[in-house]
Amino acid sequence: MTKDKKLLYATSLIIFAVFFSSLFVDLGSSKIVTALLLLPIAPTVCWLIKKRVALSINKKEVLFLLITIASIYAILLHMSGIFFGYYRNPYFVTPGVFTRIVIPLAVIIIGGEIIRYVLLSQKNKAVTVIVFLTCVVLEALMYSNIPGIRTFNQFMDLVGLTLFPAFSANFFYHYVSKNFGPLPNIVFRIITGLYTYFVPTATAMPDALLACIKIIFPILLLAFVSALYAKKQNFAVKRGKKGGAVITVITVMILIASAMLISCKFRFGALVVATESMTGEINKGDMIIYETYKDQNIQEGQVIVFLDNNNRIIHRVVAIERIGNETRYYTKGDANDDWDVGYRTDQDIVGLTDIKLAYVGYPTLWLRDLLRGSD
């Protein structure tokens, strides 16, 4: 391995390690700390790694195109408040918000895109993957608002609402940076990411729905821009592109479905069975897909998901009692000797179990135990 390659690998791995470890540390303000780290790292990367690639002659055209699309996206997203409603924006720009949030976010965007462009210019597949993961982590540090991942619930919120959209967005950013340089990405991200701090009202769109939009939009944009500026290629390459498009569509569908299930904000949600109270039909480590409860008819013997001290419990209904206008549901775990203490009402019920995926939840249980062990 040449000296230049060793330097390239070492640089990319160190940068990834620094920011990945930051996800699990309470930094106070992850935005400010990440921006401060990038201030010396970005110019150092430019100084250490000199090689650059020739950019497409369409770079200026793409820049103006992305400015237009970003502006339309921001306007439409804000106008969604006509349907979802508006509320007073608590982050509307003030001197404090500008210094604590807007400037750090701008620094992260600019520094991250510079690092992305420099490392992608080396045309090294391993480094391309490392810088992709680094940029995903930077996105999580920008928007997660989690003061260090310490619990399993924090991790799942990060995955569903931040990491999935970040993966999708960075496929697009990688393509643009590689072909048209860092400037189009910088301008596009500043418009779409910072416009919310300059409007006095914010849309009440649910976070889970916004996460799904953030997954879909970059992939559609990638397909549009790549098709618009694709060079003429032979038939074999075009066939390959069709296969790649199918894979991309499937990947996006999986990401969207996963985000929707993890968020538990849509018709269906997903839960991992973390105890042995239902051993037999539903075992520890299984994942269940449940349908959100909307006053459906519940029968004795049905397995339901209900809230108990803000915890989601998966147990079977063993008796139903109607007293006046109130319906009381008595529940029990199949492996438990006694019924659960008390009873549940319609307000406690979250969903009705629909599908069981055996063993699928074990990785999340291992991760939960790992996070508990780090407390």
Side-chain angles (χ1 to χ4, degrees):
M1 185 183 296
T2 65
K3 182 179 178 180
D4 287 344
K5 272 195 173 182
K6 289 180 181 178
L7 176 64
L8 179 61
Y9 287 135
T11 301
S12 56
L13 286 171
I14 289 172
I15 294 172
F16 173 73
V18 167
F19 292 115
F20 182 75
S21 61
S22 298
L23 285 174
F24 300 90
V25 179
D26 187 351
L27 299 174
S29 174
S30 61
K31 297 176 180 64
I32 293 176
V33 175
T34 304
L36 290 174
L37 287 172
L38 278 168
L39 283 174
I41 290 176
T44 301
V45 170
C46 293
W47 175 68
L48 288 175
I49 302 172
K50 306 293 185 181
K51 180 184 174 183
R52 303 290 185 272
V53 295
L55 299 174
S56 168
I57 59 174
N58 299 310
K59 57 183 183 292
K60 288 185 178 180
E61 187 177 336
V62 170
L63 172 62
F64 291 121
L65 175 66
L66 291 190
I67 290 174
T68 303
I69 292 175
S71 301
I72 295 172
Y73 172 83
I75 291 170
L76 291 177
L77 206 59
H78 191 67
M79 287 178 63
S80 68
I82 297 173
F83 178 77
F84 295 104
Y86 291 99
Y87 62 93
R88 184 177 176 275
N89 186 359
Y91 298 106
F92 183 57
V93 68
T94 62
V97 170
F98 192 75
T99 54
R100 289 184 293 104
I101 300 179
V102 175
I103 291 179
L105 287 178
V107 170
I108 296 171
I109 290 171
I110 295 169
E113 290 303 330
I114 289 173
I115 291 173
R116 186 202 307 270
Y117 169 66
V118 172
L119 294 180
L120 284 181
S121 295
Q122 311 317 301
K123 295 184 176 180
N124 183 294
K125 291 183 179 179
V127 171
T128 297
V129 174
I130 295 170
V131 72
F132 178 85
L133 295 175
T134 301
C135 291
V136 168
V137 170
L138 284 174
E139 195 110 352
L141 290 168
M142 288 173 65
Y143 298 119
S144 65
N145 296 318
I146 295 176
I149 300 172
R150 298 297 180 86
T151 68
F152 181 70
N153 288 337
Q154 285 180 326
F155 175 79
M156 294 308 290
D157 284 343
L158 180 74
V159 170
L161 300 179
T162 305
L163 284 184
F164 283 166
F167 269 98
S168 179
N170 277 281
F171 281 120
F172 173 67
Y173 299 149
H174 253 41
Y175 170 80
V176 172
S177 183
K178 181 179 178 181
N179 293 280
F180 309 106
L183 187 57
N185 275 344
I186 290 172
V187 177
F188 177 84
R189 295 183 65 188
I190 285 178
I191 294 173
T192 57
L194 302 185
Y195 83 92
T196 53
Y197 300 100
F198 296 91
V199 290
T201 58
T203 175
M205 178 185 295
D207 289 340
L209 178 58
L210 182 60
C212 290
I213 291 173
K214 288 183 176 180
I215 291 173
I216 298 170
F217 180 64
I219 298 300
L220 294 177
L221 201 51
L222 172 61
F224 173 67
V225 175
S226 60
L228 195 61
Y229 295 100
K231 297 178 181 178
K232 290 182 179 180
Q233 298 175 328
N234 58 41
F235 179 73
V237 174
K238 286 184 178 179
R239 285 186 60 187
K241 280 197 169 185
K242 288 182 179 179
V246 171
I247 293 173
T248 300
V249 170
I250 293 173
T251 302
V252 172
M253 291 175 65
I254 291 173
L255 287 176
I256 294 171
S258 300
M260 292 174 70
L261 288 173
I262 290 173
S263 69
C264 300
K265 301 294 185 181
F266 295 89
R267 180 178 176 183
F268 295 96
L271 285 178
V272 173
V273 180
T275 69
E276 297 178 344
S277 65
M278 287 293 291
T279 297
E281 181 176 336
I282 301 175
N283 302 306
K284 181 178 179 180
D286 292 347
M287 175 180 284
I288 64 106
I289 309 297
Y290 67 85
E291 182 180 6
T292 301
Y293 179 61
K294 298 290 185 182
D295 297 323
Q296 297 98 316
N297 186 34
I298 297 177
Q299 304 291 334
E300 289 185 15
Q302 192 161 9
V303 178
I304 64 172
V305 180
F306 60 88
L307 288 176
D308 183 21
N309 293 324
N310 292 323
N311 294 316
R312 285 182 168 87
I313 309 297
I314 307 166
H315 278 180
R316 191 181 303 279
V317 175
V318 292
I320 300 175
E321 183 180 29
R322 292 176 177 85
I323 299 178
N325 293 326
E326 182 180 72
T327 303
R328 299 177 178 181
Y329 303 93
Y330 297 89
T331 55
K332 174 182 174 295
D334 288 353
N336 294 342
D337 294 329
D338 301 319
W339 289 13
D340 298 332
V341 176
Y343 56 85
R344 318 298 155 197
T345 65
D346 290 328
Q347 288 72 32
D348 301 318
I349 299 174
V350 175
L352 313 177
T353 61
D354 198 29
I355 299 171
K356 181 188 81 170
L357 303 175
Y359 312 117
V360 171
Y362 267 112
T364 59
L365 293 182
W366 295 331
L367 181 59
R368 182 199 62 175
D369 293 340
L370 178 64
L371 290 171
R372 282 181 175 174
S374 66
D375 289 346

